[in-house]
Amino acid sequence: MPFDLASRLAARQEENLYRQRPLLESPQGPEVRVDGRPMLAFCSNDYLGLANHPEVKAAFIRGVERWGAGGGASHLVIGHSGPHHDLELALAEFTGRPRALLFSTGYMANLGAVTALVGKGDTVLEDRLNHASLLDAGLLSGARFSRYLHNDADSLASRLERAEGDTLVVTDGVFSMDGDLADLPALCAAARARGAWVMVDDAHGFGPLGTNGGGIVEHFGLGLEDVPVLVGTLGKGFGTAGAFVAGSEELIETLIQFARPYIYTTSQPPAVACATLKSLELLQRERWRREHLEKLIQRFRQGAAEIGLTLMDSPTPIQPILVGDSARALKLSALLRERGLLVGAIRPPTVPAGSARLRVTLSAAHSEEQLESLLNALADGWATLAKEEVPDA
């Protein structure tokens, strides 16, 4: 029988890969209510704790009162409102680039940028661990598509030698499942030597990284010539929704003319742009958020090492605990949940087979006491796992 969906779903359950959606019954924050239970959450990408900030919420409310609830149409019809324009100007200034362009989601920003820049006869080269949206964009572009070894400039250089037409090198800035940083200086040097452009999706870098929260490009002191195409999302460090691409005047005009996800999508509600403008102001004004977050990251890594957990090489708020087996990852996540802590178990195909993990994410809204609660629960849970795996004498 065609479309035997039941068998596909059953197989996913048997492989411990079945996914379920937790029902959030409260605003984003460290203390949430999920599936009817109060929980301490360590799984949100709200890195700076702005998603439920009073000033951001007030800006959103004022935006609704002034601009209404919806965008109404695409940006090219009648959906490009004053707050959209103001936010694009602010993001251009924030990133130190001539212009920025808003998209409704990060997925659409990546899809729009790649497919507008390369096509048949061109080449797109991507890191093997890039986000799914980047990989999909490369495949859908129609360009010759190849993936280089993770964060390996030599592997990239060998593929650049075989590239045809216009060549776009695409990488995450912060890899969302490992938390490590792209080696941008080396990758940009390899691309520049072959006349290729570099595109960075810095979804998880904006806010936490850089002296001013400007992300991985600021972190490494790189500029427009190094990274012509810079993508950022607004639903993580900024705490709101949407995404943007920042670059040259010619790049942004090209996207306006040729990026199908931009051309054929209704704009985000103007009130969201109003809220994001306030988030951007707070990000720049309240430096203590990044300073506190850095202290939490250092303390977590120290405490995890004392427990004997295997962490990834991450200096970011993304702190994955490598478990390996999907069933063990689910078990550890369940043990934490019994203690009132919410940490997601990440399994294939999101991560490679044999590398299931708990993905701990830290926020500037977490207190030191909340972090200690997590470490204590992890110590107990890890000991329980080890005890259960000892064979009977």
Side-chain angles (χ1 to χ4, degrees), residues 122-390:
D122 298 323
T123 303
V124 59
L125 303 174
E126 300 205 19
D127 190 292
R128 284 188 176 275
L129 297 188
N130 272 354
H131 188 267
S133 61
L134 295 173
L135 299 176
D136 287 354
L139 291 168
L140 291 170
S141 70
R144 181 181 177 185
F145 178 74
S146 179
R147 293 190 288 174
Y148 57 89
L149 298 177
H150 176 52
N151 232 355
D152 190 326
D154 291 334
S155 176
L156 171 61
S158 69
R159 284 161 175 76
L160 282 165
E161 291 177 0
R162 301 188 295 272
E164 302 171 352
D166 290 334
T167 302
L168 187 65
V169 176
V170 183
T171 182
D172 277 305
V174 175
F175 291 90
S176 61
M177 292 299 115
D178 289 7
D180 57 333
L181 306 184
D183 186 2
L184 275 192
L187 297 173
C188 290
R192 191 165 51 246
R194 301 293 297 185
W197 269 22
V198 174
M199 171 176 159
V200 175
D201 175 14
D202 203 22
H204 298 270
F206 278 109
L209 291 181
T211 303
N212 300 300
I216 193 168
V217 171
E218 183 185 52
H219 173 79
F220 283 119
L222 302 174
L224 183 63
E225 294 300 316
D226 303 295
V227 181
V229 188
L230 180 59
V231 181
T233 56
L234 304 172
K236 299 177 176 67
F238 288 84
T240 55
F244 66 94
V245 179
S248 67
E249 176 79 25
E250 292 78 10
L251 171 67
I252 300 307
E253 280 301 317
T254 297
L255 297 183
I256 291 172
Q257 300 302 322
F258 297 103
R260 292 168 66 86
Y262 179 82
I263 297 168
Y264 298 110
T265 299
T266 297
S267 65
Q268 65 172 215
V272 174
C274 295
T276 306
L277 282 164
K278 178 56 67 175
S279 292
L280 179 57
E281 177 190 325
L282 290 167
L283 184 158
Q284 294 173 297
R285 186 178 80 209
E286 298 185 343
R287 302 177 66 91
W288 66 262
R289 293 180 181 275
R290 291 191 297 281
E291 294 167 357
H292 176 62
L293 185 56
E294 180 60 31
K295 290 179 181 177
L296 293 178
I297 294 168
Q298 292 177 4
R299 171 57 191 141
F300 176 80
R301 293 187 67 83
Q302 175 194 21
E306 292 168 355
I307 296 169
L309 303 175
T310 300
L311 298 182
M312 312 293 282
D313 183 20
S314 171
T316 73
I318 302 168
Q319 292 293 321
I321 301 170
L322 189 60
V323 179
D325 179 71
S326 294
R328 293 183 74 233
L330 286 171
K331 176 64 174 177
L332 183 56
S333 178
L335 289 171
L336 293 177
R337 194 177 182 111
E338 290 173 6
R339 295 273 294 263
L341 289 102
L342 195 62
V343 181
I346 309 297
R347 295 152 288 156
T350 304
V351 295
S355 69
R357 66 202 60 181
L358 262 60
R359 182 178 181 268
V360 173
T361 53
L362 302 172
S363 168
H366 284 122
S367 68
E368 294 178 5
E369 291 75 18
Q370 289 169 335
L371 178 59
E372 294 303 322
S373 295
L374 172 63
L375 290 170
N376 290 335
L378 279 170
D380 292 345
W382 194 247
T384 299
L385 268 188
K387 186 176 180 180
E388 290 179 351
E389 292 167 359
V390 174

Side-chain angles (χ1 to χ4, degrees), residues 49-133:
L50 297 176
N52 194 38
H53 192 286
E55 291 186 44
V56 176
K57 291 191 294 185
F60 186 88
I61 292 169
R62 290 193 300 271
V64 170
E65 291 172 346
R66 170 68 176 83
W67 297 96
S74 72
H75 285 272
L76 292 175
V77 179
I78 196 174
H80 190 64
S81 301
H84 298 135
H85 191 68
D86 292 342
L87 179 56
E88 288 181 347
L89 293 175
L91 289 169
E93 181 179 2
F94 177 61
T95 58
R97 287 160 184 259
R99 287 187 65 181
L101 187 70
L102 282 177
F103 284 79
S104 295
T105 68
Y107 208 112
M108 291 171 57
N110 286 332
L111 188 62
V114 173
T115 57
L117 291 174
V118 293
K120 187 175 181 180
D122 298 323
T123 303
V124 59
L125 303 174
E126 300 205 19
D127 190 292
R128 284 188 176 275
L129 297 188
N130 272 354
H131 188 267
S133 61

